[in-house]
Amino acid sequence: MIEYSLLLAPINWLIDPQSRTFIAYGLSSLVLVLLWVGLSWQQRLPYLKQLTQKSYWWNTSTRQDYQLILLNAVLFSILSITWVVFTITIANSVFKLLSTVSEPRAYAEASSLLLFSLFTLALVLLEDLSRYALHRLLHWRFFWRIHQLHHSATILTPLSFLRVHPIEKLLYQLRSATVYGSCTGVFFFLVGEHPQAWLIFGISGASLLFNALGANIRHSMVPISYGPLEKIFISPLQHQLHHSDQYNRKNYGAIFSFWDRLFSSWTAGDKQAPLPEKEKKLLDQLLLKSLD
Ligand SMILES: [Zn+2]
Ligand SMILES: [Zn+2]
């Protein structure tokens, strides 16, 4: 069984519903792009056509993406069990720490529906806030040396999401385990049972919705804006602006844009992404080819 999962590890990012790059999320993103193109067919058709170009998926930038994906998959498949142990250790430490100041199980009698809902909400908000904070840190001084690899992509495809330095991936994993472990420890202390976030098909409902509703489009050349919802959610265009030279210090958020608004790093996705010259040329070439 272990050998089997090790064999599948290099393609786990494609077949695991917990991963943003799960193949079904790719399909749901395509449906969203089709709907978006359908709203203004004549103007937007080139964006759809570029997705069918080999040069969009196979160029210097994407080849670097693929190499990094493989490297990270191999490196982190060895570490996978470590995260479970680390999360449990954090949860235990938080439980013990809280036990020194108060009696556990104070909310053991409360409605479990309410408690699980609160747990899900707290987890989603803390997950997103910690992502925002880490991403902002990665743009600061020494950390930028690590994160600039992600920003060096000249063509954004949904797989550019995985174009990250192994140290950046390690930092995100540590963050995730710390947040999940702490929330679990607090819940266990207050209620006395193991918490469970809302699940759909056994996966966190919040991340399933986020991924199914087009999280993959943010790393693409398709500039979809969410209109009035821009103030709440990070749209694909907002993240594409983050990848441009001009707005590189804006829109650090993952799911919600209100962290960026709260900490003055937000710019709305209501403008044309001012792509750097090099990117613009490549995109023009792709669009021209697709019009042939
Ligand atoms: Zn960044
Ligand atoms: Zn990005």
Side-chain angles (χ1 to χ4, degrees):
M1 194 64 194
I2 292 175
E3 287 98 345
Y4 184 64
S5 56
L6 272 177
L7 262 177
L8 288 177
I11 55 158
N12 211 32
W13 51 275
L14 205 59
I15 54 168
D16 178 11
Q18 315 252 27
S19 152
R20 190 193 289 191
T21 45
F22 175 44
I23 193 110
Y25 300 143
L27 293 176
S28 69
S29 300
L30 184 61
V31 170
L32 284 174
V33 171
L34 285 172
L35 286 172
W36 178 79
V37 170
L39 288 174
S40 185
W41 188 253
Q42 293 237 306
Q43 253 189 333
R44 295 173 179 174
L45 191 60
Y47 287 103
L48 187 61
K49 282 194 173 169
Q50 61 148 320
L51 297 177
T52 63
Q53 299 295 306
K54 186 182 163 225
S55 51
Y56 173 70
W57 297 101
W58 191 253
N59 52 63
T60 314
S61 181
T62 53
R63 280 195 294 274
Q64 288 167 351
D65 294 358
Y66 305 143
Q67 285 165 3
L68 266 168
I69 290 169
L70 265 174
L71 174 72
N72 281 331
V74 172
L75 282 179
F76 283 82
S77 62
I78 304 162
L79 280 172
S80 61
I81 192 71
T82 318
W83 303 119
V84 182
V85 178
F86 185 71
T87 309
I88 295 170
T89 310
I90 296 267
N92 276 337
S93 310
V94 169
F95 181 86
K96 278 185 193 155
L97 186 73
L98 292 172
S99 302
T100 59
V101 286
S102 168
E103 276 295 301
R105 291 173 55 86
Y107 294 90
E109 306 303 321
S111 139
S112 51
L113 179 68
L114 177 71
L115 289 171
F116 286 140
S117 304
L118 285 175
F119 176 73
T120 305
L121 185 68
L123 192 61
V124 169
L125 289 176
L126 272 175
E127 265 277 323
D128 206 50
L129 176 61
S130 61
R131 268 179 187 278
Y132 170 87
L134 179 53
H135 189 183
R136 194 155 180 173
L137 177 75
L138 285 166
H139 277 253
W140 186 67
R141 297 195 174 184
F142 159 78
F143 294 96
W144 172 246
R145 293 190 187 183
I146 301 165
H147 185 53
Q148 66 181 348
L149 181 61
H150 178 67
H151 281 268
S152 65
T154 47
I155 290 283
L156 291 178
T157 78
L159 295 178
S160 311
F161 162 65
L162 297 170
R163 182 196 176 99
V164 287
H165 193 289
I167 297 177
E168 177 170 341
K169 192 170 164 72
L170 186 74
L171 290 172
Y172 271 100
Q173 300 255 29
L174 281 171
R175 175 210 60 86
S176 167
T178 307
V179 169
Y180 192 77
S182 313
C183 285
T184 305
V186 171
F187 190 92
F188 200 80
F189 173 76
L190 294 174
V191 186
E193 47 179 307
H194 203 77
Q196 207 167 36
W198 287 333
L199 298 180
I200 304 176
F201 307 128
I203 341 164
S204 151
S207 65
L208 185 133
L209 283 176
F210 171 65
N211 290 326
L213 291 175
N216 284 307
I217 305 169
R218 58 187 61 199
H219 289 102
S220 79
M221 301 296 208
V222 183
I224 294 182
S225 156
Y226 288 165
L229 292 178
E230 290 271 314
K231 287 189 170 177
I232 304 171
F233 298 106
I234 294 279
S235 65
L237 183 48
Q238 280 186 45
H239 192 72
Q240 288 150 12
L241 287 167
H242 176 73
H243 271 271
S244 70
D245 289 347
Q246 194 177 345
Y247 296 102
N248 178 262
R249 296 293 179 104
K250 300 281 180 191
N251 302 348
Y252 298 100
I255 299 179
F256 302 114
S257 53
F258 44 69
W259 309 121
D260 277 297
R261 291 173 57 218
L262 196 63
F263 300 110
S264 313
S265 56
W266 185 64
T267 191
D270 56 3
K271 39 183 91 64
Q272 273 292 320
L275 297 166
E277 257 339 282
K278 202 164 54 166
E279 279 179 51
K280 223 189 278 173
K281 270 188 204 146
L282 280 166
L283 185 61
D284 284 348
Q285 281 168 9
L286 286 169
L287 292 176
L288 279 175
K289 267 190 196 167
S290 68
L291 287 172
D292 287 345

